[in-house]
Amino acid sequence: MGAAALTGTVLLAAAAVLTVLVAVSWEPLLAFDRSVTEALHRSAVAEPGLTRANRIMTDWVWDPWTMRLLAAAVTVWLWRRGDRLLAVWVAGASALGAALQQAMKALVGRDRPQWPDPVDTAQFAAYPSGHAMTAALTCGLVLWLLHRDGVGGRGWAWAVALATVSVAGVGFTRVYLGVHWPSDVLGGWLLGAAVAAVTAASYERRLLARRTLETGAENECPRTGRSPASPGPGGRSR
């Protein structure tokens, strides 16, 4: 099993455990969620300027549609440069992430935090956080593509730093604004990163299988359809 496949498996397992704990309302997890969310909500109410900044970041810079537009732009760029299989893989991963997010929300059906003095509102179920999941998936895909293209040095360091800030930052804004529990964000991170890892693993496996088939076809004898070293009718190699 490759590194990406192993990473995806571990992330999916962790997401499954967390989902079960959320679904059965495990009290230690709920107590942690309440304590963190209540503390951040008090800060959000007391600091309207900081709250406004968080809303700008979460509604515009790190909004799921912003991330999906980034994934779409990357898909178009890959298609135009001739990497059409890779473009399809990236587009498929983005669509899969959106579908999985909605399915999990419907399956778990968790209520969002409720406040007498809310500073922001959000629709649909709480778990997992769509903002956190979409950011983790999109940033994970972009980092994978940059790694495949051999980007290194300062370019790679800046890309990792920007991705880390984006994924962590959007998660913080969702809890700070009181529209998600911390475990919603963690679940989104795990699921988004898992989809990115599985996408990378499945693409590399598909590419390897494709190259193997092409190599086998090139080695076949044009007239007989057999490899030059393959046995003839008598059972001996020609």
Side-chain angles (χ1 to χ4, degrees):
M1 181 182 292
L6 179 60
T7 300
T9 300
V10 172
L11 290 170
L12 284 173
V17 171
L18 179 61
T19 301
V20 170
L21 294 179
V22 169
V24 301
S25 301
W26 190 50
E27 184 53 35
L29 179 62
L30 299 186
F32 172 78
D33 279 345
R34 286 193 298 267
S35 64
V36 173
T37 307
E38 288 171 0
L40 289 178
H41 180 68
R42 288 194 295 269
S43 174
V45 172
E47 301 288 345
L50 185 56
T51 298
R52 191 176 302 110
N54 275 271
R55 291 193 64 174
I56 292 173
M57 297 302 291
T58 199
D59 291 340
W60 295 99
V61 180
W62 294 321
D63 183 77
W65 283 108
T66 303
M67 291 293 169
R68 289 172 188 143
L69 285 174
L70 173 59
V74 170
T75 299
V76 171
W77 175 69
L78 289 171
W79 188 274
R80 289 175 65 91
R81 81 170 190 176
D83 289 332
R84 297 191 171 181
L85 180 62
L86 188 54
V88 170
W89 237 255
V90 172
S94 186
L96 175 62
L100 178 60
Q101 169 197 318
Q102 294 303 320
M104 292 297 294
K105 284 181 178 291
L107 178 65
V108 178
R110 190 185 200 185
D111 292 332
R112 293 179 183 268
Q114 301 294 321
W115 310 105
D117 51 354
V119 298
D120 199 1
T121 59
Q123 297 178 334
F124 308 114
Y127 183 90
S129 165
H131 281 68
M133 182 173 176
T134 308
L137 170 57
T138 304
C139 290
L141 290 174
V142 170
L143 289 178
W144 167 54
L145 293 172
L146 291 175
H147 178 71
R148 291 194 83 256
D149 271 9
V151 174
R154 290 186 177 181
W156 175 252
W158 275 106
V160 171
L162 185 58
T164 302
V165 170
S166 297
V167 173
V170 73
F172 175 80
T173 65
R174 304 312 287 165
V175 181
Y176 186 84
L177 295 171
V179 293
H180 275 294
W181 307 103
S183 54
D184 299 336
V185 170
L186 178 58
W189 285 339
L190 290 173
L191 288 169
V195 173
V198 170
T199 299
S202 62
Y203 176 79
E204 300 299 343
R205 183 173 181 180
R206 175 69 180 84
L207 190 63
L208 178 61
R210 183 178 180 179
R211 287 173 176 171
T212 301
L213 287 174
E214 290 175 350
T215 301
E218 291 175 357
N219 290 336
E220 285 183 352
C221 177
R223 296 183 62 185
T224 66
R226 288 191 295 268
S227 168
S230 61
R236 291 179 296 179
S237 299
R238 297 185 177 186

